Amino acid sequence: MALFSVRVFLVGTLVVALLPACGFQRGEGRTPSVRPQIFRTPQQCSEFLRNEAVRVTNETREDVGLPPLVSLIPLERAAESRTLQMIHEKRLTHRGWTREVLRELPSSSLTHFAQNLARGLSTPQALLRAWMRSPSHRKNLLDPKNRYIGIGCYRSTTGEHWWTQNLAG
């Protein structure tokens, strides 16, 4: 019985000692308060998921007789930057996106750009279904002027998927 009491005491002491390190502080009275801390950062979606988004986009385009889009690294970098910015702002926004694309393509001959955004859709198939149901997103996807694509996808700290699709021609 004495050994059990010692273990409880040591575990209890260890918990009390770790509380400040975990963000707990003594507040008014005896109620501890929690100091908000960010323990995780957004995680980039797998390469497979991003490639699958390109594949289903191209499949959709080919179904209507359009050529497939070619992945372009600068468009991907701009899409990744836009996706992280939206997660930080906690909202979908196109504000400033053309500057991001042009910064990644400083000496490009591309003159036509489009962008699709989404959040909360965890698969590329669900993403494409949603975009194809929206007239403006559908127009971007099926625009014959577009020849290149860049996909950005991150999971926020809450596990929600955020997507950016940059298109150019």
Side-chain angles (χ1 to χ4, degrees), residues 12-68:
T13 303
L14 181 60
V15 169
V16 171
L18 289 177
L19 283 177
C22 295
F24 290 97
Q25 296 179 336
R26 199 173 284 282
E28 294 291 324
R30 293 201 176 284
T31 308
S33 63
V34 177
R35 178 178 38 190
Q37 293 183 3
I38 298 171
F39 293 101
R40 299 184 318 175
T41 59
Q43 300 296 308
Q44 188 173 35
C45 298
S46 69
E47 185 176 355
F48 172 81
L49 202 61
R50 295 188 317 272
N51 288 339
E52 184 67 5
V54 172
R55 188 190 70 73
V56 296
T57 297
N58 281 333
E59 191 176 81
T60 302
R61 287 175 57 87
E62 289 171 350
D63 286 347
V64 295
L66 293 170

Side-chain angles (χ1 to χ4, degrees), residues 75-94:
L75 287 177
E76 288 178 17
R77 283 195 304 256
E80 291 167 1
S81 173
R82 165 64 27 193
T83 306
L84 286 170
Q85 183 64 32
M86 291 187 305
I87 290 173
H88 174 73
E89 292 180 16
K90 296 181 175 72
R91 66 187 181 107
L92 296 175
T93 177
H94 293 286

Side-chain angles (χ1 to χ4, degrees), residues 49-166:
L49 202 61
R50 295 188 317 272
N51 288 339
E52 184 67 5
V54 172
R55 188 190 70 73
V56 296
T57 297
N58 281 333
E59 191 176 81
T60 302
R61 287 175 57 87
E62 289 171 350
D63 286 347
V64 295
L66 293 170
L69 301 169
V70 176
S71 289
L72 196 62
I73 301 257
L75 287 177
E76 288 178 17
R77 283 195 304 256
E80 291 167 1
S81 173
R82 165 64 27 193
T83 306
L84 286 170
Q85 183 64 32
M86 291 187 305
I87 290 173
H88 174 73
E89 292 180 16
K90 296 181 175 72
R91 66 187 181 107
L92 296 175
T93 177
H94 293 286
R95 191 191 59 208
W97 78 275
T98 52
R99 283 189 305 275
E100 292 169 359
V101 170
L102 294 175
R103 185 174 45 242
E104 293 294 336
L105 297 163
S107 60
S108 172
S109 62
L110 300 174
T111 59
H112 178 79
F113 302 97
Q115 185 178 68
N116 289 332
L117 307 174
R119 71 187 259 198
L121 301 164
S122 59
T123 68
Q125 292 78 9
L127 178 70
L128 260 290
R129 277 193 303 273
W131 280 340
M132 290 302 286
R133 284 193 294 257
S134 161
S136 60
H137 293 97
R138 180 184 178 89
K139 180 180 179 239
N140 287 342
L141 281 164
L142 301 180
D143 190 332
K145 294 179 203 157
N146 291 325
R147 294 177 292 144
Y148 301 100
I149 187 171
I151 295 283
C153 176
Y154 278 83
R155 288 181 67 194
S156 68
T157 57
T158 62
E160 183 177 43
H161 287 77
W162 293 65
W163 299 86
T164 300
Q165 180 186 63
N166 286 334

